Amino acid sequence: MNERGKSGGRPGRKPGPAPSLTRDAVAAAALAEGIAVFSMPGVAARLGVGHSTLYRYVDSREDLVRAAIELAAARTPWPPADLPWRELLTGFADAVWEACEAFPGLAEVLLTTPASPPVMVDRLGRYGVALVGAGLSTRDAAVAVDFVGDLVLSSAVAMRGLDRTVPDATGTPSTAREQYRDAWAAAPPGAHPFEAEFAAEETWHGRGWFDDKLAIFLDGLATRIAPTAPGTSETPETRGTPGPPEENA
């Protein structure tokens, strides 16, 4: 056996996972590829590893979707639970919206994937305690958090859908946004009491009517909060908010 044979020639890659690869790294690659559209070969190529290597960290594509959701939740800055109830739910809505913007496809996936990352179970549990402390029933608190989350996800999907291009009635390609807006612009003046709202540019861009929808919901939710006990200075807006720290005696 010659010296080359004795040394084994060029050493191949040693078996086992890549030293720097982790489940979070694989999840991050899936987020970068697009959580709603990634393929396992695409994630592997992004990481510079073989396709089969991924299965040392995840069991399947569905498992990787769940890992990506967990990582997205961990990377999102969430509002603290000690805010007044209305600020808390508004901050929660903003955080979910920002997560959907930061991780394209996240809204679509969250609407169809049964995933509850531990970080979110803990976070939402804290929000629930705060909302009950503010005067909501346990059920109303749970429904409020769920409703706000669903409202964000469905609104984010709907606003992004306005960018899709589809043929209009004449077969001419145009965006869904343009077709909706043109339909309202074609209505006879004064035919509807809110035609100006549908024709407004801000209706079809950014967050659209989301903030208005959220405000209407929060106004209604305020009526479900238990009334303040007589002789106290609390209001529905501030109940549940910690007071100033006590001074040492």
Side-chain angles (χ1 to χ4, degrees):
M1 182 180 293
N2 58 32
E3 289 299 312
R4 180 178 176 84
K6 184 183 295 185
S7 64
R10 290 181 61 186
R13 177 177 291 175
K14 294 181 179 180
S20 61
L21 205 55
T22 62
R23 181 177 170 89
D24 274 358
V26 176
L31 288 173
E33 287 286 300
I35 190 172
V37 298
F38 75 83
S39 67
M40 298 297 275
V43 171
R46 176 176 286 271
L47 293 169
V49 299
H51 183 188
S52 62
T53 301
L54 299 182
Y55 294 99
R56 298 170 185 164
Y57 304 92
V58 295
D59 297 330
S60 61
R61 187 184 188 280
E62 292 72 25
D63 186 34
L64 181 49
V65 168
R66 288 190 290 270
I69 291 173
E70 291 174 5
L71 185 61
R75 288 183 171 182
T76 299
W78 301 100
D82 60 356
L83 293 173
W85 72 268
R86 190 172 185 121
E87 289 180 37
L88 174 59
L89 287 173
T90 301
F92 172 58
D94 290 341
V96 177
W97 193 285
E98 289 167 11
C100 293
E101 295 253 315
F103 307 109
L106 181 62
E108 290 83 350
V109 168
L110 287 175
L111 286 171
T112 57
T113 303
S116 298
V119 64
M120 287 310 301
V121 171
D122 177 69
R123 174 67 60 182
L124 296 182
R126 293 172 185 270
Y127 291 170
V129 170
L131 293 173
V132 170
L136 286 173
S137 70
T138 302
R139 186 169 183 82
D140 282 353
V143 170
V145 173
D146 185 68
F147 180 89
V148 171
D150 283 350
L151 180 62
V152 174
L153 299 179
S154 59
S155 297
V157 170
M159 293 307 295
R160 193 154 43 250
L162 294 176
D163 292 325
R164 72 185 189 281
T165 299
V166 292
D168 62 15
T170 66
T172 304
S174 61
T175 65
R177 176 184 295 104
E178 292 168 333
Q179 293 188 41
Y180 280 127
R181 191 169 48 197
D182 291 347
W184 282 94
H192 303 284
F194 42 66
E195 61 192 34
E197 302 300 335
F198 278 94
E201 278 296 313
E202 59 268 24
T203 299
W204 307 102
H205 296 278
R207 288 163 56 142
W209 283 342
F210 170 76
D211 293 301
D212 300 279
K213 292 177 180 179
L214 180 61
I216 289 173
F217 168 71
L218 296 178
D219 288 346
L221 187 62
T223 68
R224 304 290 289 267
I225 292 179
T228 302
T232 69
S233 60
E234 287 183 325
T235 69
E237 300 294 335
T238 61
R239 190 186 294 118
T241 305
E246 295 181 0
E247 295 183 1
N248 294 330

